[in-house]
Amino acid sequence: MDGKKDIIIAGVGGQGILTMAKIIVGAAFAEELKLKQPEVHGMSQRGGAVYTHVRLSPDYVNSDIIPAGAADLIIGVEPMEALRYADALAPDGMIVSSSVPVENISDYDVGGVLGFLDSLDNVVLIDSNQVAIAAKNKQGQNIAVLGVSLPYLGIEREVIEGVMEDIFGDKGPDVVAANLRALQMGEEAGAVYRR
Amino acid sequence: MGGQLFMGGEDSALLLGDEAVALAALHAGASISASYPGTPATEINEFVRLLNDAEGLGVHCKWSPNEKVAYEKALGASIAGARAMVSMKLVGLNVAMDVLMNSAITGVNGGLLVVVADDPGMHSSQNEQDSRELARFANIPCFEPRDQQGAYDYTRMGFDLSEEYNLPVMLRITTRLAHSRSEVVPHTPLERTNFPVAERGRAMLLPHVSRQRHKDLVERVMPDLTALVNHAPYAVSENDALGPLGVISAGIAANYVEENFNQSPYPHMALTVVNPLPDQRIKDFALRLIGNKVYNLLVVEEGYPYIEDGVRNILRDFSGFNIYGKLTGHLPRTGELKPEFVREALGLDPLPNAGIEVPAELLKGRPPRLCTGCPHESTYKVLNAVKKQVDIPIVTSDIGCYTLGYLPPLNAIDTCVEMGASIGMALGAAEAGLEHVVAVIGDSTYTHSGMPCLLEAADGNLPITVIILDNNTVAMTGFQPTYLHGDDLVRNVIGMGVSPEHVKTMKARPSSHEDNVKILRDEVEYKGTSVVIAEGPCIHAARKSL
């Protein structure tokens, strides 16, 4: 990575946002990048909208939270949540999002949200549920979305995979393998979308 | 996470601000970490407990019933000769104010560090009070670190300063530092050694003793501390830039300032000691600005305009000098500070963004809610059913996951003020003449502050019904253990003076709904003090313990 990378990861409480951040941050730390990663706890998490920021840089990172207009990448595990922070996106920033809505609110315009996302130039939108099923890892939608975002992270896939082996290691080789599959198939799904 | 990494010294680790404080306290040789759970401070004692279990450190880190007990424990340990840390969220300090204020007069023996995590923007709190004002009120030193490394370093320094000046020292952080992860390089840990117990009379505040101590504190100790921070390199960080505007910041606000400077800094003084303020250095900074024909100073901080007020006072004789900040509308008076607000206050153009304008109707709020299967939901449905049969004029409630019962579709409770207010306010409503008043309180909130209220209610047999939600955990903050559950809770309630035939237990689950409606209705109609314990496990806590 040459310059900085500011990433917003967004979703609904329980979708595994913080695990995704833990993987990226672990990889960045292994690469000796400087980083700051603020996250939300407590009341903000009870089924509500959650987000975390991951700020990576070769130099000291100042603000913990990403300033408006500085986000290079928004990773949405849920489509409405991917849109929620769109005003933070830098002019050449990317949005990577799952198209699978979490409809725990009454007035969710799914068609409107997905249509708007699809209409943007700088978006990759994939059905993370399909990818997770194909990877035989139903719980792995968050990892699938992480896979889609690999080309935009500025970190080598091998480093990410190494960190995943560490993090998931004590859950056994099957879990590690399932998550690596979800990652890989997510990346492939992203490549397909871009074509 | 291995022993070597944390207790061997030199490696670096990725830590939350809270975790950095915890590690530093252990490395400083603290033998006691006292606390009550409260976002965003909970992770401090959680991390101490994690390391203590993993490494067998023999540190005392039990969760106290409330912050007053926790602070008293820390003070007692300090007087006994040990280094102690007490940690809490902003409003927890309100609960511990009596011991905070008086511990500044008793002084300490072993170093005593008071860590308070404020919550600007109220991510998880009822208000956004600024603990630095309370450090000033108490006349104790206060550090406000800028980042995770600072959270570690200033925690260690805090114990030293506490022993050197014989005062508790406050370390003030905010949510964005408490819950943000970054690299921390620890320093060589100290061995845990205790002083001999303090001399008789040290912690005795009969007025004739207090008068002398208080006088000494304000006339000698605080001026000595001011002289110290006017010279200590760790109190202030200053650049030598030139620019159209000078900036004074404190704590993490310094990061928001530097973020916007990018390659073109303005003169910037970043404070990490915020009580006492280094007044001479602030004056020197103003003189430097004036020497460069700059007459404008922006004060940037997270919380109340505390530094801003202090700077105005310190520079009151500097005529023709303009001080800007929250009080002048250049920064928002309330809510959390953000780098883009600081950017605007610095007079810089906003950063360009991708220009995506999401139609407002597509973005909906996702308010927090009770988890599916939460026992509180069954209990609230029972309460709502009873409300259809009996006129319940008010349901006072309290702090915890169950506060979410205020929101639609349950709309079950009416009030939430602070820890224990449910029963306290129910007493008042009953004395004001309301019948069938119901108070809803959680098990941990009850042991925190509900017990004295129930004592008063039962003594007068006031016509209130207290529903205690016994889910055997402190859920909202991360499933910490509680003190009273099941039969122990029943015995305690009877011990408070409630007649046993009006202490009932109901199983908080949908299948018991009809039975529960009858139980609750009978007690609500009873014209005296009654307690209904709604027992049902938190669905997450059960999983966490596996």
Side-chain angles (χ1 to χ4, degrees):
Chain A
M1 175 181 298
D2 291 326
K4 60 109 178 169
K5 190 70 74 176
D6 286 328
I7 305 162
I8 299 177
I9 309 177
V12 175
Q15 286 194 303
I17 309 286
L18 296 186
T19 304
M20 295 163 74
K22 190 172 179 181
I23 295 168
I24 298 174
V25 150
F29 192 52
E31 304 262 83
E32 298 190 340
L33 290 168
K34 306 286 183 220
L35 65 97
K36 283 187 178 171
Q37 183 239 326
E39 54 191 43
V40 291
H41 294 191
M43 179 65 84
S44 357
Q45 277 184 319
R46 291 282 175 294
V50 294
Y51 64 89
T52 179
H53 292 185
V54 180
R55 308 200 72 196
L56 311 177
S57 172
D59 308 313
Y60 180 78
V61 176
N62 281 301
S63 169
D64 294 82
I65 50 181
I66 297 172
D72 300 300
L73 178 62
I74 295 176
I75 304 175
V77 186
E78 206 280 347
M80 185 192 289
E81 299 312 315
L83 278 183
R84 200 181 293 282
Y85 311 104
D87 55 358
L89 198 63
D92 52 356
M94 280 297 299
I95 300 178
V96 164
S97 182
S98 166
S99 59
V100 181
V102 171
E103 291 180 78
N104 64 354
I105 45 180
S106 52
D107 42 0
Y108 194 149
D109 178 2
V110 176
V113 167
L114 293 178
F116 186 81
L117 267 172
D118 211 22
S119 74
L120 300 172
D121 292 328
N122 45 355
V123 150
V124 178
L125 195 60
I126 61 123
D127 185 332
S128 54
N129 192 38
Q130 263 186 24
V131 175
I133 291 171
K136 296 192 182 36
N137 184 353
K138 276 229 73 181
Q139 307 306 317
Q141 289 195 56
N142 60 335
I143 304 298
V145 176
L146 183 62
V148 181
S149 31
L150 273 178
Y152 310 101
L153 291 180
I155 300 178
E156 302 288 328
R157 189 204 296 113
E158 292 70 36
V159 184
I160 296 273
E161 287 175 340
V163 171
M164 285 174 65
E165 280 160 11
D166 284 340
I167 289 175
F168 297 116
D170 57 5
K171 296 207 162 116
D174 290 342
V175 173
V176 174
N179 282 324
L180 291 176
R181 274 198 308 272
L183 185 80
Q184 187 196 330
M185 296 182 80
E187 189 180 9
E188 286 164 9
V192 167
Y193 182 90
R194 277 188 294 277
R195 269 182 250 126
Chain B
M1 296 200 191
Q4 268 173 315
L5 178 61
F6 291 103
M7 301 312 284
E10 303 311 312
D11 288 317
S12 66
L14 284 181
L15 298 175
L16 298 176
D18 275 353
E19 292 169 344
V21 170
L23 184 66
L26 292 173
H27 284 182
S31 357
I32 281 92
S33 167
S35 190
Y36 180 79
T39 309
T42 314
E43 288 73 11
I44 298 170
N45 198 44
E46 286 281 19
F47 199 58
V48 170
R49 289 168 66 83
L50 183 89
L51 292 177
N52 190 50
D53 283 346
E55 310 299 327
L57 301 173
V59 167
H60 297 277
C61 42
K62 184 170 173 158
W63 296 105
S64 290
N66 66 37
E67 292 85 350
K68 175 177 188 282
V69 174
Y71 196 131
E72 287 160 352
K73 184 163 90 177
L75 180 64
S78 164
I79 296 296
R83 283 189 161 186
M85 169 174 71
V86 57
S87 59
M88 63 198 78
K89 68 181 292 173
L90 68 178
V91 286
L93 190 55
N94 296 337
V95 178
M97 274 307 285
D98 209 357
V99 50
L100 169 74
M101 295 303 292
N102 291 297
S103 67
I105 317 281
T106 59
V108 306
N109 185 17
L112 175 56
L113 189 74
V114 183
V115 183
V116 189
D118 286 348
D119 190 15
M122 306 182 217
H123 294 273
S124 314
S125 309
Q126 322 94 287
N127 72 35
E128 52 183 22
Q129 61 186 70
D130 190 327
S131 300
R132 299 173 301 173
E133 302 274 12
L134 298 176
R136 182 171 180 267
F137 183 46
N139 286 303
I140 63 170
C142 184
F143 288 146
E144 189 177 356
R146 173 177 174 165
D147 56 18
Q148 291 77 352
Q149 183 68 50
Y152 178 91
D153 293 337
Y154 285 87
T155 294
R156 289 196 63 162
M157 275 191 265
F159 285 102
D160 295 334
L161 189 72
S162 174
E163 284 164 8
E164 202 182 327
Y165 284 83
N166 183 37
L167 278 175
V169 171
M170 183 184 291
L171 184 96
R172 185 255 192 175
I173 58 177
T174 59
T175 307
R176 285 305 179 190
L177 176 52
H179 288 169
S180 176
R181 192 169 274 114
S182 188
E183 185 181 353
V184 173
V185 178
H187 310 303
T188 311
L190 296 176
E191 288 296 321
R192 219 153 53 221
T193 55
N194 285 8
F195 295 119
V197 66
E199 75 283 8
R200 180 174 186 268
R202 165 63 70 87
M204 162 48 73
L205 295 185
L206 279 168
H208 70 279
V209 174
S210 284
R211 275 184 217 115
Q212 189 49 54
R213 300 254 185 96
H214 176 66
K215 191 169 153 60
D216 192 53
L217 176 61
V218 299
E219 290 181 3
R220 183 184 68 82
V221 179
M222 287 311 285
D224 280 355
L225 274 165
T226 307
L228 174 74
V229 303
N230 274 326
H231 292 97
Y234 59 75
V236 167
S237 167
E238 195 179 329
N239 67 12
D240 53 11
L242 298 171
L245 177 67
V247 185
I248 292 181
S249 69
I252 66 167
N255 292 333
Y256 299 161
V257 173
E258 292 289 326
E259 177 79 34
N260 287 303
F261 281 167
N262 206 7
Q263 305 305 326
S264 318
Y266 295 170
H268 179 202
M269 169 177 275
L271 301 172
T272 29
V273 174
V274 295
N275 193 56
L277 285 174
D279 56 353
Q280 192 52 56
R281 293 173 90 165
I282 290 169
K283 284 184 189 161
D284 290 342
F285 184 69
L287 288 170
R288 179 184 133 199
L289 292 173
I290 290 168
N292 287 305
K293 304 217 183 329
V294 174
Y295 302 99
N296 298 318
L297 175 66
L298 175 69
V299 181
V300 185
E301 60 190 315
E302 268 253 89
Y304 287 14
Y306 165 82
I307 305 281
E308 198 176 328
D309 277 337
V311 167
R312 277 178 198 288
N313 183 40
I314 289 165
L315 299 180
R316 63 190 175 276
D317 296 330
F318 285 59
S319 59
F321 197 71
N322 305 309
I323 297 167
Y324 302 113
K326 293 178 185 240
L327 294 172
T328 56
H330 288 80
L331 286 165
R333 173 66 182 80
T334 59
E336 189 179 21
L337 193 61
K338 293 196 166 136
E340 47 268 28
F341 301 157
V342 177
R343 188 174 186 85
E344 189 179 339
L346 289 169
L348 300 169
D349 290 330
L351 288 176
N353 65 27
I356 297 174
E357 283 179 24
V358 183
E361 63 272 14
L362 292 182
L363 292 179
K364 303 294 182 191
R366 278 190 217 256
R369 63 216 290 136
L370 293 173
C371 308
T372 311
C374 174
H376 301 332
E377 190 175 347
S378 322
T379 304
Y380 283 141
K381 287 183 171 164
V382 170
L383 177 58
N384 284 341
V386 173
K387 281 188 200 176
K388 292 202 174 95
Q389 302 174 16
V390 180
D391 181 20
I392 295 174
I394 189 171
V395 178
T396 56
S397 192
D398 231 302
I399 304 220
C401 286
Y402 55 93
T403 320
L404 296 172
Y406 175 76
L407 299 170
L410 287 167
N411 300 310
I413 57 169
D414 305 319
T415 78
C416 171
V417 180
E418 43 75 46
M419 294 290 280
S422 52
I423 308 180
M425 287 175 66
L427 290 182
E431 288 196 350
L434 295 186
E435 288 188 333
H436 310 306
V437 173
V438 174
V440 178
I441 190 170
D443 46 12
S444 195
T445 318
Y446 172 72
T447 49
H448 183 291
S449 302
M451 284 162 50
C453 307
L454 188 60
L455 192 63
E456 181 172 340
D459 187 73
N461 203 27
L462 288 176
I464 68 172
T465 299
V466 178
I467 301 176
I468 303 180
L469 303 171
D470 180 3
N471 62 357
N472 199 19
T473 190
V474 194
M476 181 58 89
T477 45
F479 320 110
Q480 290 78 34
T482 51
Y483 274 86
L484 292 177
H485 165 66
D487 289 342
D488 290 337
L489 180 57
V490 172
R491 273 191 285 273
N492 172 283
V493 165
I494 293 171
M496 289 292 136
V498 183
S499 25
E501 57 275 19
H502 291 288
V503 178
K504 299 279 161 58
T505 299
M506 57 188 199
K507 292 278 178 227
R509 59 188 178 199
S511 56
S512 299
H513 179 84
E514 292 305 325
D515 291 342
N516 292 346
V517 170
K518 177 148 200 339
I519 292 171
L520 184 61
R521 183 194 166 142
D522 284 348
E523 296 313 320
V524 170
E525 285 182 320
Y526 167 62
K527 290 192 194 324
T529 308
S530 56
V531 174
V532 177
I533 297 169
E535 203 179 318
C538 168
I539 57 166
H540 290 297
R543 247 181 266 151
K544 191 197 186 195
S545 65
L546 289 174

